[in-house]
Amino acid sequence: PAQPRERLRVAIQKSGRLGDPARELLASCGLTWRESRDRLFCYGESLPVDLLLVRDDDIPGLIADGVCDLGIVGRNVLVEHGLAREAQGRGVELTEWRQLGWGTCRLDIAIDEEQEWTGPEQLAGLRIATSYPHTLGRWLAEQGVQAEPVVLNGSVEIAPRLGQADVVCDLVSTGGTLRANQLTPVTTILHSEAVIAGPGHQLDDGRQEIADLLLRRLDGAVQLKE
Ligand code: ATP
Ligand code: ZN
């Protein structure tokens, strides 16, 4: 059992696409911090809200394990984590507390640009390179199509050129990376954006009250931007 805590701990991406916008959002809620020397931890000064700076892939697990209370992460990462957890027979314990409207992207199927797209049935028996095997697997099952996921943790879009896969299922925002690899997006399997992830239940100790205060300010900050 976790020790009682009277401070809220929020996990955000250390670097990458969501790190700076997440910090800016929290700063716009009036938060100020003192950063640890190793840049892993930010101690909240104006509010009892501390930040843990981590890889985005670790954020759902940190919340599920109760190490952090909330996180700012892409829906794509949260959904994949939830489905992986479900596949292991463990309950889904995380939900989206807020959607933030930035960090938007799509998880798309993309095929050789020379090829014609006739529909999901076309994928039957093909090797599909992806970093999101569970999200892809759910979609394939919904389509009633059997294909072979090839799980890669990076450089998914070069897999067809390397002969590792026939098509890809990858994150797309502008499509530039796909185009550079002679691929074209043909169908979207998930619409993503940055979200506030949290447990499926209220927080313990005094932390829910701190979270409520933070979310109220956050809602105000998000509205101001709109
Ligand atoms: P980390 O080092 O934290 O593991 P990463 O390389 O996995 O970083 P980033 O490339 O920084 O992750 O992307 C973080 C998130 O940004 C993605 O999970 C996704 O939600 C969002 N995103 C928005 N646009 C794109 C895009 N074009 N490609 C990839 N991710 C995007
Ligand atoms: Zn990552």
Side-chain angles (χ1 to χ4, degrees), residues 115-182:
Q115 228 141 48
E116 205 182 321
W117 174 248
T118 53
E121 321 73 51
Q122 189 177 336
L123 300 171
L126 297 188
R127 296 165 303 162
I128 309 179
T130 190
S131 305
Y132 297 87
H134 293 95
T135 310
L136 172 62
R138 177 178 70 174
W139 181 80
L140 287 170
E142 284 166 7
Q143 306 302 316
V145 171
Q146 290 215 12
E148 189 193 324
V150 176
V151 183
L152 300 175
N153 287 320
S155 308
V156 165
E157 65 287 345
I158 66 166
R161 273 164 59 199
L162 296 177
Q164 274 177 308
D166 303 300
V167 301
V168 305
C169 167
D170 202 6
L171 293 178
V172 182
S173 45
T174 61
T177 310
L178 289 179
R179 262 195 308 282
N181 288 282
Q182 291 91 51

Side-chain angles (χ1 to χ4, degrees), residues 34-107:
R34 206 153 21 89
E35 203 166 320
S36 72
R37 193 167 302 186
D38 56 10
R39 293 204 58 235
L40 290 175
F41 192 78
C42 294
Y43 184 84
E45 292 182 317
S46 55
L47 281 179
V49 178
D50 302 325
L51 304 185
L52 207 62
L53 309 183
V54 297
R55 292 206 45 190
D56 65 345
D57 318 78
D58 293 335
I59 292 176
L62 287 166
I63 303 168
D65 292 342
V67 175
C68 290
D69 304 305
L70 299 177
I72 297 181
V73 68
R75 176 179 299 133
N76 50 299
V77 172
L78 191 63
V79 167
E80 181 67 16
H81 176 90
L83 293 172
R85 224 181 140 84
E86 229 172 73
Q88 294 170 352
R90 297 190 292 166
V92 183
E93 288 179 357
L94 303 187
T95 57
E96 288 184 18
W97 283 30
R98 290 294 188 278
Q99 42 189 52
L100 297 173
W102 43 267
T104 51
C105 57
R106 317 180 311 259
L107 187 59

